[in-house]
Amino acid sequence: MNSAHLDFSVYSGRRVFVTGHTGFKGAWLCEWLLSLGAEVYGFSKDIPTRPSLFTQLRLARRIRLDMRGDIRDRAAVRAAIESVQPDFVFHLAAQPLVRLSYAQPVETFDTNVMGTVHVLDALLGLRKKCSAVLITTDKCYENRETRRPYREDDPMGGYDPYSCSKGCDELVISSYRRSFFGTVASPVWIASARAGNVIGGGDWAKDRIIPDCFRALQKGEAIPVRNKVSTRPWQHVLEPLSGYLTLGAALDARQRFASVATGFNFGPNPSANRTVKDVVEELLRHTKGRWVDRSEPNAVHEAGLLNLDIRKAGKVLGWKPTWDFEETIARVAAWYVGVAQGESPRLLTQRQIRDFVEEARV
């Protein structure tokens, strides 16, 4: 990579509005933005887990403003964005779990689809330059369960309510872009970012393999593995975040509108497309423990095979992954083990961000 890769100086001193900032990815993003000198304004309904990375990093005291509000509340979202007058918006707030979407389909569609509509509606009211990155997921595509990686121009879809809601998100974003933000002269430029199966330290959500692993290991129990043969494009949380920041910076530069103000996949190299079993066994190389097959014959449907084509992000944005599968798992294990042994979550997180940037620039 050239020396300009991951040069995010554009964020220094700028107002950055982050929805879902109390979540796992949101907390990592806020920590990175703070290190860049950004003024961070967060908007979230609540802190979604106990424990949470947001709390461990003490972000409520360190960002410019920690706002509580429901993304489903149109007036609250508009008021927050109008009050901040942001230079950048990163929309991460969502109901992010496939299995929960079966139990709460209405809430999932309301949060994910109408939440995105409310953010876009609020952006319509801005009369200043603003660059907005709206995060969906790799599950937004109509998944045919084939080995061909999905490209940005493939059809949207989704079997389960969560995946479908994110496919709907992409259609909503496309509609608003063409209807309201579709010219170079628009004060607001928007783009969408598609990434999934993100892992990293500080994720404490239910029904995710890494938190499940460490919860079991802390109790001295075997790790329960539901879908051992499911294949995913695993990536460290810093990989897609570097993509989001790169995309935001590209939008801010106000160049190449037709290619930048679009949708982008951010995923790992093909070698990181591994099974859940591979993830668990690689993790156990860094910890003591064992796993047990807890396959559920009558479980709700979850995709078994999913790959992303990331060539567009490389060609248009100059972005590419940094850590391979083995390094990713090693970094994840180092974070959880370090915290369990008494290390500071903030210092561990900051060190991994610095290491990632240094290695990306080599």
Side-chain angles (χ1 to χ4, degrees):
M1 296 185 184
N2 59 44
S3 59
H5 183 69
L6 299 195
D7 176 8
F8 297 142
S9 57
V10 67
Y11 293 100
S12 180
R14 309 287 292 282
R15 294 187 171 205
V16 184
F17 185 85
V18 181
T19 73
H21 70 297
T22 58
F24 161 58
K25 286 171 70 177
W28 273 93
L29 178 59
C30 287
E31 188 64 53
W32 198 339
L33 286 166
L34 288 173
S35 75
L36 298 171
E39 296 181 9
V40 181
Y41 299 78
F43 182 92
S44 289
K45 181 180 178 182
D46 51 30
I47 300 174
T49 63
R50 298 289 189 276
S52 75
L53 182 62
F54 178 81
T55 302
Q56 289 175 310
L57 298 179
R58 300 188 178 184
L59 285 169
R61 303 177 183 178
R62 299 171 55 224
I63 63 176
R64 182 58 61 94
L65 190 59
D66 174 27
M67 292 177 275
R68 288 290 173 270
D70 194 329
I71 201 71
R72 296 174 296 180
D73 184 337
R74 178 185 180 187
V77 174
R78 176 175 283 275
I81 289 179
E82 287 183 349
S83 68
V84 172
Q85 291 291 299
D87 300 301
F88 297 92
V89 170
F90 292 94
H91 173 46
L92 285 76
Q95 190 298 94
L97 301 174
V98 170
R99 282 161 63 95
L100 182 60
S101 76
Y102 282 101
Q104 299 180 0
V106 174
E107 293 83 353
T108 298
F109 281 106
D110 196 11
T111 299
N112 294 354
V113 181
M114 291 311 299
T116 297
V117 170
H118 293 158
V119 170
L120 290 165
D121 176 69
L123 291 174
L124 282 176
L126 290 181
R127 295 293 178 263
K128 65 179 294 293
K129 177 182 175 182
C130 179
S131 302
V133 178
L134 301 112
I135 285 78
T136 62
T137 177
D138 58 357
K139 297 177 181 65
C140 66
Y141 295 105
E142 181 61 40
N143 192 356
R144 306 294 185 185
E145 303 273 357
T146 66
R147 294 193 175 277
R148 184 182 75 79
Y150 291 102
R151 297 186 298 265
E152 286 84 351
D153 58 357
D154 280 328
M156 298 293 106
Y159 183 108
D160 56 88
Y162 167 74
S163 301
C164 182
S165 74
K166 289 300 189 174
C168 291
D169 264 357
E170 287 287 348
L171 296 177
V172 166
I173 295 165
S174 176
S175 175
Y176 266 81
R177 178 169 48 233
R178 290 184 290 178
S179 299
F180 307 110
F181 307 115
T183 69
V184 174
S186 172
V188 179
W189 283 24
I190 67 172
S192 65
R194 306 160 188 173
N197 297 99
V198 174
I199 56 178
D203 187 359
W204 302 105
K206 294 181 180 179
D207 286 336
R208 287 182 183 161
I209 187 59
I210 295 298
D212 286 349
C213 285
F214 282 98
R215 276 190 285 264
L217 293 173
Q218 288 171 359
K219 296 176 182 178
E221 300 173 353
I223 298 168
V225 178
R226 290 197 323 268
N227 301 307
K228 65 180 181 181
V229 298
S230 292
T231 301
R232 298 285 188 274
W234 306 98
Q235 58 185 327
H236 193 277
V237 63
L238 292 174
E239 303 284 5
L241 293 185
S242 72
Y244 305 164
L245 291 169
T246 300
L247 181 53
L251 290 168
D252 184 70
R254 290 301 194 261
Q255 298 174 357
R256 299 180 298 161
F257 177 84
S259 57
V260 172
T262 56
F264 288 86
N265 290 336
F266 296 106
N269 289 316
S271 61
N273 293 327
R274 305 290 186 90
T275 66
V276 174
K277 178 183 175 182
D278 291 336
V279 170
V280 174
E281 292 187 342
E282 182 67 24
L283 188 68
L284 289 175
R285 293 183 57 234
H286 302 276
T287 61
K288 294 180 180 179
R290 60 189 180 88
W291 68 275
V292 61
D293 190 344
R294 287 284 186 263
S295 300
E296 303 172 13
N298 299 316
V300 295
H301 176 273
E302 294 185 71
L305 182 63
L306 181 61
N307 299 316
L308 289 181
D309 186 323
I310 59 173
R311 287 177 294 179
K312 179 182 175 183
K315 181 179 180 180
V316 176
L317 303 174
W319 178 90
K320 69 177 182 178
T322 296
W323 285 341
D324 62 17
F325 177 77
E326 289 74 18
E327 182 67 18
T328 292
I329 300 298
R331 295 286 180 161
V332 172
W335 195 99
Y336 283 99
V337 171
V339 169
Q341 293 177 347
E343 292 190 58
S344 163
R346 188 195 302 184
L347 293 179
L348 274 167
T349 302
Q350 291 171 341
R351 183 164 65 242
Q352 290 200 354
I353 292 172
R354 288 195 302 270
D355 290 348
F356 179 87
V357 172
E358 289 176 3
E359 292 180 35
R361 288 176 172 169
V362 173

